Amino acid sequence: MKHFVLHRQPLVKRDDTELSHDSTDRPCFSQIESELLKKDEEPVVPISVAMVSITMFTYAMDVASSVALCFWLFDIGRWWWWMTIGFLLASLFLVNMFSIRWYIHDHQEEKPYLPEVTPSHWIMRGLFHAMLLGPLIRYWELFLYGLHTCDKSDPKRNQYRLMFLQEDRDVSTLALVGSFVKSAPLLVLQMYLLTQNSFFIDLSANRAQAINLVTSLVELSLAQSSYHRALRRSSPYKKNMNKVGAFIQLFSHCCVIGSRVIALAVFATAYGHWIVIFVAGHWALMTIWLVFLRTNSCATASGQPRPIEELFFNVVIGVIYVFCFVNVKDEPTRWKYTIFYIIIWIENVALVILWFLKADHDLWYRIPLLASVVLSLAIGLALLAVYYQFLHPNKLPRNAQE
């Protein structure tokens, strides 16, 4: 079972001597870049560009809805308000910090297929990141790259395609980090508040919370699936996912993350602040595991390590590992998947059983919640096994991919 790496490096590695220019001053692509362009790739069509604009809009709405949630929680309890605003600001800060840092790395590495950025555009980038809205400028650039890619008469169409693939990978990685730092903890908080209120007693408020729960769960699952898909698209040596495989993987993530969220939330209702100790312990354990894996996700294009950035990166990815698994080193992952989900299975079952034993026996959802945690995780892992056994790109014939 070979996955792909959470690796934010250039699409290719090469020496400057590999570059040359033709009479129209267009870069002649290296062999690796040419392989990527010739790969049986899902084409960048107008609908792909339209989806970028929709994603840009939904990102803005997500930030706005999170701010609205902060105001709503301010009236309920200051403690919940501080937690919500803390997760929101932490997410925005981390995403924008990674984003501007990657812009600087791209500029320092002088990638030949990237256009020269004017000082005014750098100022615009800086302003958006200063307002913690850096992903919006990235989505806008992705949108423009897509428009150029759709124009078959554009002499630099292949350059824009490489730029589109890199930017798509970058925004997918940022969305993954941002969603798990913000939406995952808030999802647990929302579930906690629902269980504390004995489920749907106040129909108007709880209905809104239930909708928010579903949308947040889909957002997390979609961020993880989109990240996987974008990484495969940007690699010349990895086959692409097809739509059926992407859907099965998305549903699998929904089940696994949903089970985890319910287990954490119900445990918190019965044992209070012990949930903080549990999550912190799991986070620390996963971060130590990542350090011992000796990841090189933040290395330069020439392979030089950046130890401080790598450690910080591992700490951030440790947050994702509280909820699900993302491979951060390009190597066979069968044993890592097995170990990780055995741990998750034991933890989820233990958390929900501890809650079940302490919960009021008259609660109507006591048994359904216990069953939902176990069944949801079992279904998610079963679907994950189906994906890797039958729908993984390496298992499919070439004409079944897109």
Side-chain angles (χ1 to χ4, degrees):
M1 184 186 301
K2 192 170 180 65
H3 217 271
F4 24 79
V5 60
L6 183 60
H7 212 297
R8 204 276 159 191
Q9 288 191 357
L11 293 175
V12 295
K13 294 181 181 179
R14 61 182 176 183
D15 297 324
D16 291 340
T17 55
E18 295 183 36
L19 299 175
S20 61
H21 289 75
D22 59 19
S23 58
T24 59
D25 199 33
R26 286 178 292 169
C28 295
F29 300 111
S30 70
Q31 181 180 357
I32 299 179
E33 287 173 334
S34 299
E35 288 295 325
L36 179 59
L37 292 171
K38 290 189 299 183
K39 191 174 87 166
D40 185 18
E41 186 65 63
E42 176 184 351
V44 181
V45 293
I47 191 172
S48 302
V49 180
M51 288 303 297
V52 173
S53 61
I54 293 173
T55 305
M56 183 165 53
F57 174 76
T58 56
Y59 175 81
M61 292 302 297
D62 178 60
V63 174
S65 64
S66 298
V67 174
L69 178 63
C70 291
F71 281 104
W72 178 69
L73 290 175
F74 187 81
D75 294 330
I76 295 179
R78 299 295 175 87
W79 174 247
W80 309 129
W81 181 83
W82 280 111
M83 287 182 63
T84 304
I85 199 69
F87 287 127
L88 174 60
L89 291 178
S91 169
L92 292 175
F93 175 77
L94 286 173
V95 166
N96 283 272
M97 182 187 66
F98 280 129
S99 178
I100 195 66
R101 182 62 175 159
W102 293 349
Y103 272 136
I104 294 173
H105 285 172
D106 290 342
H107 177 71
Q108 291 173 341
E109 290 165 2
E110 298 181 349
K111 300 174 185 178
Y113 54 84
L114 292 180
E116 183 178 354
V117 181
T118 62
S120 60
H121 194 69
W122 271 111
I123 292 174
M124 183 180 296
R125 284 177 173 178
L127 289 175
F128 269 84
H129 285 81
M131 294 185 293
L132 300 181
L133 295 174
L136 283 181
I137 193 70
R138 282 190 173 271
Y139 280 121
W140 175 247
E141 292 177 358
L142 181 63
F143 177 76
L144 294 179
Y145 297 158
L147 288 180
H148 283 284
T149 303
C150 292
D151 184 4
K152 296 183 179 180
S153 63
D154 193 329
K156 296 184 178 181
R157 182 170 180 260
N158 283 335
Q159 284 180 259
Y160 282 111
R161 185 177 176 188
L162 289 174
M163 291 152 60
F164 183 91
L165 292 174
Q166 173 174 308
E167 195 62 46
D168 184 38
R169 180 199 60 194
D170 288 351
V171 296
S172 297
T173 306
L174 292 173
L176 179 75
V177 172
S179 62
F180 274 92
V181 173
K182 174 182 69 70
S183 297
L186 293 183
L187 190 59
V188 175
L189 175 61
Q190 291 277 44
M191 188 67 192
Y192 170 83
L193 293 176
L194 275 177
T195 52
Q196 284 288 76
N197 292 330
S198 299
F199 268 101
F200 306 113
I201 292 178
D202 182 358
L203 290 179
S204 59
N206 287 335
R207 188 179 293 116
Q209 284 181 273
I211 293 174
N212 185 266
L213 279 172
V214 174
T215 55
S216 297
L217 180 60
V218 172
E219 177 195 353
L220 290 169
S221 305
L222 191 59
Q224 192 176 3
S225 298
S226 298
Y227 163 74
H228 291 163
R229 187 179 178 89
L231 271 190
R232 283 198 164 272
R233 290 188 65 186
S234 64
S235 172
Y237 302 120
K238 292 186 182 293
K239 300 176 182 178
N240 299 324
M241 297 170 63
N242 66 6
K243 290 183 174 63
V244 176
F247 177 78
I248 293 297
Q249 193 184 68
L250 173 65
F251 193 64
S252 169
H253 294 327
C254 280
C255 293
V256 171
I257 297 172
S259 171
R260 185 64 165 176
V261 166
I262 295 173
L264 292 173
V266 296
F267 179 82
T269 62
Y271 295 92
H273 294 140
W274 282 101
I275 188 63
V276 177
I277 298 175
F278 170 80
V279 170
H282 183 93
W283 184 11
L285 178 64
M286 294 297 105
T287 302
I288 292 172
W289 185 20
L290 289 168
V291 171
F292 274 99
L293 285 177
R294 296 185 177 181
T295 61
N296 59 345
S297 303
C298 298
T300 64
S302 60
Q304 293 296 321
R306 296 187 178 105
I308 303 300
E309 291 185 27
E310 195 71 43
L311 177 60
F312 184 72
F313 180 80
N314 288 337
V315 170
V316 173
I317 298 303
V319 176
I320 300 178
Y321 274 38
V322 173
F323 299 92
C324 62
F325 180 84
V326 175
N327 192 36
V328 292
K329 194 171 184 180
D330 196 9
E331 61 185 10
T333 58
R334 186 185 303 273
W335 68 270
K336 288 190 285 188
Y337 264 97
T338 303
I339 292 175
F340 180 84
Y341 282 113
I342 286 177
I343 294 174
I344 291 294
W345 180 275
I346 294 173
E347 288 181 348
N348 283 9
V349 172
L351 290 173
V352 75
I353 288 179
L354 288 173
W355 166 79
F356 182 84
L357 295 175
K358 193 173 181 179
D360 187 348
H361 289 197
D362 295 330
L363 286 177
W364 67 267
Y365 57 84
R366 185 165 170 260
I367 294 179
L369 270 188
L370 174 64
S372 66
V373 169
V374 177
L375 290 178
S376 179
L377 184 57
I379 293 172
L381 295 181
L383 289 174
L384 197 62
V386 169
Y387 168 77
Y388 278 104
Q389 185 64 33
F390 303 106
L391 298 172
H392 190 274
N394 292 342
K395 300 282 186 178
L396 297 174
R398 190 172 183 82
N399 58 8
Q401 300 161 24
E402 52 178 60

mmCIF file with all atom_site columns, all heavy atoms in Angstrom, residues 214-227:
data_model
loop_
_atom_site.group_PDB
_atom_site.id
_atom_site.type_symbol
_atom_site.label_atom_id
_atom_site.label_alt_id
_atom_site.label_comp_id
_atom_site.label_asym_id
_atom_site.label_entity_id
_atom_site.label_seq_id
_atom_site.pdbx_PDB_ins_code
_atom_site.Cartn_x
_atom_site.Cartn_y
_atom_site.Cartn_z
_atom_site.occupancy
_atom_site.B_iso_or_equiv
_atom_site.pdbx_formal_charge
_atom_site.auth_seq_id
_atom_site.auth_comp_id
_atom_site.auth_asym_id
_atom_site.auth_atom_id
_atom_site.pdbx_PDB_model_num
ATOM 1   N N   . VAL A 1 214 ? -22.839 18.572 10.022 1.00 0.00 ? 214 VAL A N   1
ATOM 2   C CA  . VAL A 1 214 ? -22.742 17.833 8.764  1.00 0.00 ? 214 VAL A CA  1
ATOM 3   C C   . VAL A 1 214 ? -21.812 18.543 7.784  1.00 0.00 ? 214 VAL A C   1
ATOM 4   O O   . VAL A 1 214 ? -20.937 17.923 7.165  1.00 0.00 ? 214 VAL A O   1
ATOM 5   C CB  . VAL A 1 214 ? -24.138 17.642 8.145  1.00 0.00 ? 214 VAL A CB  1
ATOM 6   C CG1 . VAL A 1 214 ? -24.030 16.993 6.768  1.00 0.00 ? 214 VAL A CG1 1
ATOM 7   C CG2 . VAL A 1 214 ? -25.012 16.786 9.057  1.00 0.00 ? 214 VAL A CG2 1
ATOM 8   N N   . THR A 1 215 ? -21.985 19.854 7.643  1.00 0.00 ? 215 THR A N   1
ATOM 9   C CA  . THR A 1 215 ? -21.150 20.597 6.692  1.00 0.00 ? 215 THR A CA  1
ATOM 10  C C   . THR A 1 215 ? -19.682 20.586 7.111  1.00 0.00 ? 215 THR A C   1
ATOM 11  O O   . THR A 1 215 ? -18.790 20.489 6.260  1.00 0.00 ? 215 THR A O   1
ATOM 12  C CB  . THR A 1 215 ? -21.649 22.044 6.563  1.00 0.00 ? 215 THR A CB  1
ATOM 13  O OG1 . THR A 1 215 ? -21.691 22.656 7.866  1.00 0.00 ? 215 THR A OG1 1
ATOM 14  C CG2 . THR A 1 215 ? -23.038 22.084 5.950  1.00 0.00 ? 215 THR A CG2 1
ATOM 15  N N   . SER A 1 216 ? -19.424 20.680 8.407  1.00 0.00 ? 216 SER A N   1
ATOM 16  C CA  . SER A 1 216 ? -18.037 20.645 8.876  1.00 0.00 ? 216 SER A CA  1
ATOM 17  C C   . SER A 1 216 ? -17.410 19.280 8.635  1.00 0.00 ? 216 SER A C   1
ATOM 18  O O   . SER A 1 216 ? -16.234 19.179 8.255  1.00 0.00 ? 216 SER A O   1
ATOM 19  C CB  . SER A 1 216 ? -17.974 20.991 10.367 1.00 0.00 ? 216 SER A CB  1
ATOM 20  O OG  . SER A 1 216 ? -18.416 22.304 10.605 1.00 0.00 ? 216 SER A OG  1
ATOM 21  N N   . LEU A 1 217 ? -18.193 18.224 8.848  1.00 0.00 ? 217 LEU A N   1
ATOM 22  C CA  . LEU A 1 217 ? -17.685 16.874 8.608  1.00 0.00 ? 217 LEU A CA  1
ATOM 23  C C   . LEU A 1 217 ? -17.357 16.675 7.132  1.00 0.00 ? 217 LEU A C   1
ATOM 24  O O   . LEU A 1 217 ? -16.309 16.112 6.781  1.00 0.00 ? 217 LEU A O   1
ATOM 25  C CB  . LEU A 1 217 ? -18.720 15.843 9.068  1.00 0.00 ? 217 LEU A CB  1
ATOM 26  C CG  . LEU A 1 217 ? -18.338 14.368 8.897  1.00 0.00 ? 217 LEU A CG  1
ATOM 27  C CD1 . LEU A 1 217 ? -17.073 14.044 9.674  1.00 0.00 ? 217 LEU A CD1 1
ATOM 28  C CD2 . LEU A 1 217 ? -19.491 13.469 9.344  1.00 0.00 ? 217 LEU A CD2 1
ATOM 29  N N   . VAL A 1 218 ? -18.236 17.153 6.264  1.00 0.00 ? 218 VAL A N   1
ATOM 30  C CA  . VAL A 1 218 ? -17.982 17.049 4.825  1.00 0.00 ? 218 VAL A CA  1
ATOM 31  C C   . VAL A 1 218 ? -16.767 17.887 4.440  1.00 0.00 ? 218 VAL A C   1
ATOM 32  O O   . VAL A 1 218 ? -15.941 17.469 3.611  1.00 0.00 ? 218 VAL A O   1
ATOM 33  C CB  . VAL A 1 218 ? -19.225 17.487 4.028  1.00 0.00 ? 218 VAL A CB  1
ATOM 34  C CG1 . VAL A 1 218 ? -18.908 17.564 2.538  1.00 0.00 ? 218 VAL A CG1 1
ATOM 35  C CG2 . VAL A 1 218 ? -20.377 16.526 4.272  1.00 0.00 ? 218 VAL A CG2 1
ATOM 36  N N   . GLU A 1 219 ? -16.633 19.065 5.052  1.00 0.00 ? 219 GLU A N   1
ATOM 37  C CA  . GLU A 1 219 ? -15.482 19.925 4.758  1.00 0.00 ? 219 GLU A CA  1
ATOM 38  C C   . GLU A 1 219 ? -14.170 19.227 5.098  1.00 0.00 ? 219 GLU A C   1
ATOM 39  O O   . GLU A 1 219 ? -13.215 19.239 4.309  1.00 0.00 ? 219 GLU A O   1
ATOM 40  C CB  . GLU A 1 219 ? -15.589 21.230 5.548  1.00 0.00 ? 219 GLU A CB  1
ATOM 41  C CG  . GLU A 1 219 ? -14.388 22.156 5.361  1.00 0.00 ? 219 GLU A CG  1
ATOM 42  C CD  . GLU A 1 219 ? -14.313 23.253 6.405  1.00 0.00 ? 219 GLU A CD  1
ATOM 43  O OE1 . GLU A 1 219 ? -15.261 23.386 7.198  1.00 0.00 ? 219 GLU A OE1 1
ATOM 44  O OE2 . GLU A 1 219 ? -13.293 23.964 6.435  1.00 0.00 ? 219 GLU A OE2 1
ATOM 45  N N   . LEU A 1 220 ? -14.113 18.596 6.266  1.00 0.00 ? 220 LEU A N   1
ATOM 46  C CA  . LEU A 1 220 ? -12.897 17.895 6.670  1.00 0.00 ? 220 LEU A CA  1
ATOM 47  C C   . LEU A 1 220 ? -12.586 16.732 5.729  1.00 0.00 ? 220 LEU A C   1
ATOM 48  O O   . LEU A 1 220 ? -11.442 16.548 5.299  1.00 0.00 ? 220 LEU A O   1
ATOM 49  C CB  . LEU A 1 220 ? -13.052 17.377 8.098  1.00 0.00 ? 220 LEU A CB  1
ATOM 50  C CG  . LEU A 1 220 ? -13.069 18.427 9.213  1.00 0.00 ? 220 LEU A CG  1
ATOM 51  C CD1 . LEU A 1 220 ? -13.503 17.792 10.528 1.00 0.00 ? 220 LEU A CD1 1
ATOM 52  C CD2 . LEU A 1 220 ? -11.704 19.071 9.363  1.00 0.00 ? 220 LEU A CD2 1
ATOM 53  N N   . SER A 1 221 ? -13.603 15.960 5.417  1.00 0.00 ? 221 SER A N   1
ATOM 54  C CA  . SER A 1 221 ? -13.401 14.803 4.540  1.00 0.00 ? 221 SER A CA  1
ATOM 55  C C   . SER A 1 221 ? -13.014 15.235 3.139  1.00 0.00 ? 221 SER A C   1
ATOM 56  O O   . SER A 1 221 ? -12.138 14.634 2.502  1.00 0.00 ? 221 SER A O   1
ATOM 57  C CB  . SER A 1 221 ? -14.682 13.962 4.497  1.00 0.00 ? 221 SER A CB  1
ATOM 58  O OG  . SER A 1 221 ? -15.094 13.592 5.792  1.00 0.00 ? 221 SER A OG  1
ATOM 59  N N   . LEU A 1 222 ? -13.658 16.292 2.658  1.00 0.00 ? 222 LEU A N   1
ATOM 60  C CA  . LEU A 1 222 ? -13.358 16.789 1.321  1.00 0.00 ? 222 LEU A CA  1
ATOM 61  C C   . LEU A 1 222 ? -11.952 17.375 1.252  1.00 0.00 ? 222 LEU A C   1
ATOM 62  O O   . LEU A 1 222 ? -11.248 17.210 0.247  1.00 0.00 ? 222 LEU A O   1
ATOM 63  C CB  . LEU A 1 222 ? -14.390 17.845 0.923  1.00 0.00 ? 222 LEU A CB  1
ATOM 64  C CG  . LEU A 1 222 ? -14.393 18.290 -0.541 1.00 0.00 ? 222 LEU A CG  1
ATOM 65  C CD1 . LEU A 1 222 ? -14.640 17.101 -1.456 1.00 0.00 ? 222 LEU A CD1 1
ATOM 66  C CD2 . LEU A 1 222 ? -15.446 19.361 -0.768 1.00 0.00 ? 222 LEU A CD2 1
ATOM 67  N N   . ALA A 1 223 ? -11.527 18.045 2.323  1.00 0.00 ? 223 ALA A N   1
ATOM 68  C CA  . ALA A 1 223 ? -10.174 18.605 2.348  1.00 0.00 ? 223 ALA A CA  1
ATOM 69  C C   . ALA A 1 223 ? -9.132  17.498 2.253  1.00 0.00 ? 223 ALA A C   1
ATOM 70  O O   . ALA A 1 223 ? -8.141  17.619 1.520  1.00 0.00 ? 223 ALA A O   1
ATOM 71  C CB  . ALA A 1 223 ? -9.971  19.417 3.627  1.00 0.00 ? 223 ALA A CB  1
ATOM 72  N N   . GLN A 1 224 ? -9.367  16.405 2.972  1.00 0.00 ? 224 GLN A N   1
ATOM 73  C CA  . GLN A 1 224 ? -8.418  15.297 2.932  1.00 0.00 ? 224 GLN A CA  1
ATOM 74  C C   . GLN A 1 224 ? -8.408  14.623 1.562  1.00 0.00 ? 224 GLN A C   1
ATOM 75  O O   . GLN A 1 224 ? -7.344  14.336 0.997  1.00 0.00 ? 224 GLN A O   1
ATOM 76  C CB  . GLN A 1 224 ? -8.762  14.280 4.021  1.00 0.00 ? 224 GLN A CB  1
ATOM 77  C CG  . GLN A 1 224 ? -7.681  13.240 4.249  1.00 0.00 ? 224 GLN A CG  1
ATOM 78  C CD  . GLN A 1 224 ? -8.008  12.306 5.401  1.00 0.00 ? 224 GLN A CD  1
ATOM 79  O OE1 . GLN A 1 224 ? -9.074  12.386 5.999  1.00 0.00 ? 224 GLN A OE1 1
ATOM 80  N NE2 . GLN A 1 224 ? -7.094  11.403 5.719  1.00 0.00 ? 224 GLN A NE2 1
ATOM 81  N N   . SER A 1 225 ? -9.592  14.387 0.999  1.00 0.00 ? 225 SER A N   1
ATOM 82  C CA  . SER A 1 225 ? -9.670  13.739 -0.312 1.00 0.00 ? 225 SER A CA  1
ATOM 83  C C   . SER A 1 225 ? -9.107  14.630 -1.413 1.00 0.00 ? 225 SER A C   1
ATOM 84  O O   . SER A 1 225 ? -8.408  14.155 -2.316 1.00 0.00 ? 225 SER A O   1
ATOM 85  C CB  . SER A 1 225 ? -11.128 13.373 -0.622 1.00 0.00 ? 225 SER A CB  1
ATOM 86  O OG  . SER A 1 225 ? -11.630 12.451 0.318  1.00 0.00 ? 225 SER A OG  1
ATOM 87  N N   . SER A 1 226 ? -9.414  15.929 -1.355 1.00 0.00 ? 226 SER A N   1
ATOM 88  C CA  . SER A 1 226 ? -8.912  16.860 -2.369 1.00 0.00 ? 226 SER A CA  1
ATOM 89  C C   . SER A 1 226 ? -7.397  16.958 -2.318 1.00 0.00 ? 226 SER A C   1
ATOM 90  O O   . SER A 1 226 ? -6.731  17.068 -3.356 1.00 0.00 ? 226 SER A O   1
ATOM 91  C CB  . SER A 1 226 ? -9.531  18.243 -2.161 1.00 0.00 ? 226 SER A CB  1
ATOM 92  O OG  . SER A 1 226 ? -10.929 18.197 -2.307 1.00 0.00 ? 226 SER A OG  1
ATOM 93  N N   . TYR A 1 227 ? -6.867  16.909 -1.122 1.00 0.00 ? 227 TYR A N   1
ATOM 94  C CA  . TYR A 1 227 ? -5.414  16.944 -0.970 1.00 0.00 ? 227 TYR A CA  1
ATOM 95  C C   . TYR A 1 227 ? -4.767  15.729 -1.634 1.00 0.00 ? 227 TYR A C   1
ATOM 96  O O   . TYR A 1 227 ? -3.789  15.846 -2.380 1.00 0.00 ? 227 TYR A O   1
ATOM 97  C CB  . TYR A 1 227 ? -5.061  17.010 0.514  1.00 0.00 ? 227 TYR A CB  1
ATOM 98  C CG  . TYR A 1 227 ? -3.638  16.640 0.810  1.00 0.00 ? 227 TYR A CG  1
ATOM 99  C CD1 . TYR A 1 227 ? -2.601  17.519 0.510  1.00 0.00 ? 227 TYR A CD1 1
ATOM 100 C CD2 . TYR A 1 227 ? -3.325  15.406 1.362  1.00 0.00 ? 227 TYR A CD2 1
ATOM 101 C CE1 . TYR A 1 227 ? -1.285  17.165 0.755  1.00 0.00 ? 227 TYR A CE1 1
ATOM 102 C CE2 . TYR A 1 227 ? -2.020  15.053 1.616  1.00 0.00 ? 227 TYR A CE2 1
ATOM 103 C CZ  . TYR A 1 227 ? -1.001  15.937 1.311  1.00 0.00 ? 227 TYR A CZ  1
ATOM 104 O OH  . TYR A 1 227 ? 0.292   15.578 1.552  1.00 0.00 ? 227 TYR A OH  1
#
